[in-house]
Amino acid sequence: MKNIIFLAVQGAGKGTFAKKLSEKYGYVHISTGDILRERSLVDDELGHEIKNLIDNGIFVSNEIIYQAIEYRISQPDCNVGYILDGFPRNLEQAEGYNAILKKVGKDLGVVINLVIPNEILKERIIGRRICKDCGAIYNIYNESLKPKVEGICDKCGGVLYQREDDNEESMKTRVNTYFEVTEPIIDYYKKQGVLKTVDSSRKTEETFNDIIEILESEDVDN
Ligand code: AMP
């Protein structure tokens, strides 16, 4: 059983690799962004507030996130292992997560840091397309990740869409926020000896093989 945290700037492939791991090992993929997007569809005050924050690339409050995480990792399906994609996102959340783990009696597990040069980030974010039905992720600028038919999912035939926050303006806010507040978590986990760094600028399968190797060995960076 492995609990995994993916740390990476948006566009580095967190969602793609989390989905692949979930298919391979049955780990539960917990994306705080997906949980929040779903909640933002509810036509009430909280739903509108969350939608507004997400559309502008601004963080949702820790209280909302902690509740969602504690509830989700306590579900029985998470006993097999789970992958956190999008949480923790700042030092306060990393500490908040420790408290949640203690409360629910689970281990931190492994932290995987996906690194990618800034130059290729833009293409990854602006070119991203997602299937409305099965959540499969494509990229229109990458030959190996392009859908066979424009706008249609290869896997299920669903319609592909572009996230509202996958635009240049929101991307800038999200990338800046990442380097200011999320990067310090890398040191935090490095000091605990649970961090592994993976170069995510290569082909999906190459990066994925590295991730598998890490999960199948017990060693972590010190
Ligand atoms: P993502 O799908 O991970 O890119 O998240 C989309 C948006 O959801 C972010 O830009 C934030 O507005 C919000 N969000 C997701 N995870 C968190 C989190 N851990 N803390 C605060 N806000 C979050």
Side-chain angles (χ1 to χ4, degrees):
M1 188 272 280
K2 282 268 195 277
N3 297 331
I4 301 152
I5 294 175
F6 268 135
L7 289 182
V9 66
Q10 281 84 357
K14 284 190 308 266
T16 302
F17 296 116
K19 278 198 173 63
K20 286 176 82 67
L21 284 179
S22 157
E23 281 160 20
K24 186 172 168 71
Y25 297 109
Y27 297 158
V28 178
H29 175 196
I30 304 175
S31 153
T32 42
D34 284 351
I35 293 173
L36 292 169
R37 272 184 288 280
E38 204 178 313
R39 183 60 184 83
S40 76
L41 299 177
V42 179
D43 189 12
D44 64 5
E45 206 180 317
L46 182 61
H48 298 163
E49 184 192 324
I50 292 176
K51 180 165 177 5
N52 190 31
L53 292 170
I54 292 178
D55 287 351
N56 291 292
I58 301 168
F59 276 12
V60 170
S61 77
N62 285 345
E63 288 65 36
I64 294 174
I65 300 288
Y66 292 164
Q67 265 184 25
I69 292 291
E70 182 178 333
Y71 173 78
R72 191 64 192 89
I73 67 172
S74 304
Q75 300 306 299
D77 58 348
C78 284
N79 290 340
V80 67
Y82 57 85
I83 308 146
L84 288 180
D85 160 11
F87 175 87
R89 254 183 159 90
N90 54 31
L91 268 182
E92 203 183 334
Q93 288 188 0
E95 280 158 5
Y97 181 49
N98 277 347
I100 295 172
L101 286 171
K102 236 184 214 163
K103 193 168 164 192
V104 303
K106 287 191 182 286
D107 292 333
L108 177 71
V110 182
V111 181
I112 296 179
N113 178 28
L114 297 173
V115 285
I116 185 170
N118 275 348
E119 311 86 74
I120 47 180
L121 256 191
K122 188 169 158 186
E123 209 168 77
R124 290 263 181 106
I125 293 178
I126 308 293
R128 174 159 61 184
R129 298 292 181 274
I130 304 165
C131 174
K132 274 202 160 81
D133 295 333
C134 73
I137 302 169
Y138 296 87
N139 194 296
I140 57 167
Y141 299 129
N142 180 325
E143 283 311 315
S144 64
L145 294 174
K146 234 177 162 170
K148 291 192 181 80
V149 180
E150 196 187 320
I152 302 292
C153 178
D154 294 351
K155 292 184 179 156
C156 77
V159 173
L160 303 184
Y161 73 98
Q162 182 174 26
R163 274 172 45 169
E164 270 185 57
D165 58 347
D166 279 347
N167 61 64
E168 218 160 312
E169 213 35 54
S170 174
M171 182 195 91
K172 275 189 199 146
T173 311
R174 287 190 287 151
V175 171
N176 288 341
T177 304
Y178 178 81
F179 286 108
E180 272 169 38
V181 303
T182 308
E183 269 224 330
I185 307 182
I186 290 167
D187 264 354
Y188 175 82
Y189 286 129
K190 205 172 193 171
K191 283 185 188 133
Q192 295 180 36
V194 292
L195 189 84
K196 271 289 185 186
T197 299
V198 175
D199 171 7
S200 186
S201 64
R202 296 162 302 154
K203 286 196 173 124
T204 307
E205 283 315 312
E206 288 174 31
T207 307
F208 189 53
N209 285 340
D210 273 9
I211 294 172
I212 290 170
E213 245 176 61
I214 289 167
L215 295 180
E216 293 184 355
S217 83
E218 288 299 320
D219 300 337
V220 284
D221 287 351
N222 284 308

